[in-house]
Amino acid sequence: METPPAAFVACLECDLLHRRTPLPPGGEARCKRCGARLYRAAPADANERALALALTACILFIVANAYPIVGLDVQGVRNSATLFGAVESLWDDEARAVAVLVFVTTILVPAAELIGLTWVLLALRQGERGYGAVPLLHFIESVKPWAMVEVFVLGVLVSLVKLAHIAIIEPGVALFSFGGLMLFIAAASAAFDPDAAWSQLEATQ
Ligand SMILES: [Zn+2]
């Protein structure tokens, strides 16, 4: 269950306590004494933006998984792998726990989060209650900490820097797509306004 926001909010700059009041869409509350921002309301079209960002992320996700992340040339021997290919070779090399972890955090959970978010927002945009929307919204909130595309991208960049001494590295399409995916997933979940989605869902009941 969503916890209701506290009735009072303290200014982060000067500690003055304020009573929380509802804001118009896109509005923001400022401290009476020092003018620092206390909190803000999501703009009215927040979930439209979240949908556009989530759809872009879906496309990037497909490209990121369909093409090789990186091409390696070690003394004339060329090698390239997609993310799923990397998971498979980890599994074959008996590093099964790592294979499962990589699969879950970089493929399964981000895919579930993106598909779920897109599905719920698309249905709400049509003024409908998407099939399974309520459990999906709960699910999206609970799996979020397990989506680690950004950790993966940073990990790949660090390994590429280390590998640069022993191999010729050709960054693949998927590497750039993962970089974009990282930004678009973050932007979609920042734009997503769960309160608006929940009240829209209640209205379509
Ligand atoms: Zn203040």
Side-chain angles (χ1 to χ4, degrees):
M1 286 296 290
E2 292 275 304
T3 43
F8 292 95
V9 55
C11 172
L12 288 175
E13 300 292 332
C14 73
D15 264 356
L16 184 66
L17 209 57
H18 299 73
R19 190 181 296 277
R20 198 181 269 274
T21 49
L23 295 178
E28 62 177 29
R30 287 185 173 275
C31 174
K32 248 191 277 186
R33 183 157 62 195
C34 73
R37 192 164 79 198
L38 298 172
Y39 55 95
R40 60 193 295 181
D45 62 348
N47 283 345
E48 296 263 307
R49 277 189 225 176
L51 176 60
L53 293 165
L55 279 171
T56 313
C58 285
I59 296 167
L60 285 170
F61 183 86
I62 295 168
V63 177
N65 279 285
Y67 291 93
I69 297 171
V70 68
L72 287 181
D73 190 330
V74 188
Q75 290 166 350
V77 181
R78 286 184 50 87
N79 217 326
S80 68
T82 60
L83 178 55
F84 192 73
V87 170
E88 272 183 326
S89 36
L90 279 170
W91 183 269
D92 293 340
D93 290 346
E94 303 292 320
R96 299 207 164 150
V98 182
V100 170
L101 211 58
V102 172
F103 179 72
V104 169
T105 55
T106 59
I107 301 180
L108 192 66
V109 172
E113 190 187 343
L114 279 178
I115 294 170
L117 191 61
T118 309
W119 170 254
V120 171
L121 290 177
L122 264 180
L124 284 178
R125 195 170 186 273
Q126 310 284 327
E128 285 166 21
R129 189 191 179 82
Y131 179 75
V134 170
L136 262 177
L137 274 185
H138 282 300
F139 175 75
I140 292 168
E141 290 300 315
S142 58
V143 296
K144 218 173 239 175
W146 289 97
M148 299 186 192
V149 174
E150 64 282 12
V151 178
F152 171 74
V153 171
L154 291 178
V156 170
L157 290 179
V158 171
S159 359
L160 289 186
V161 170
K162 299 222 164 208
L163 278 173
H165 302 295
I166 54 167
I168 300 167
I169 292 166
E170 293 161 10
V173 180
L175 185 64
F176 298 107
S177 306
F178 267 112
L181 180 64
M182 174 180 85
L183 298 177
F184 275 92
I185 288 184
S189 49
F192 178 52
D193 178 7
D195 295 338
W198 281 116
S199 47
Q200 255 184 298
L201 272 175
E202 269 162 33
T204 56
Q205 231 161 10

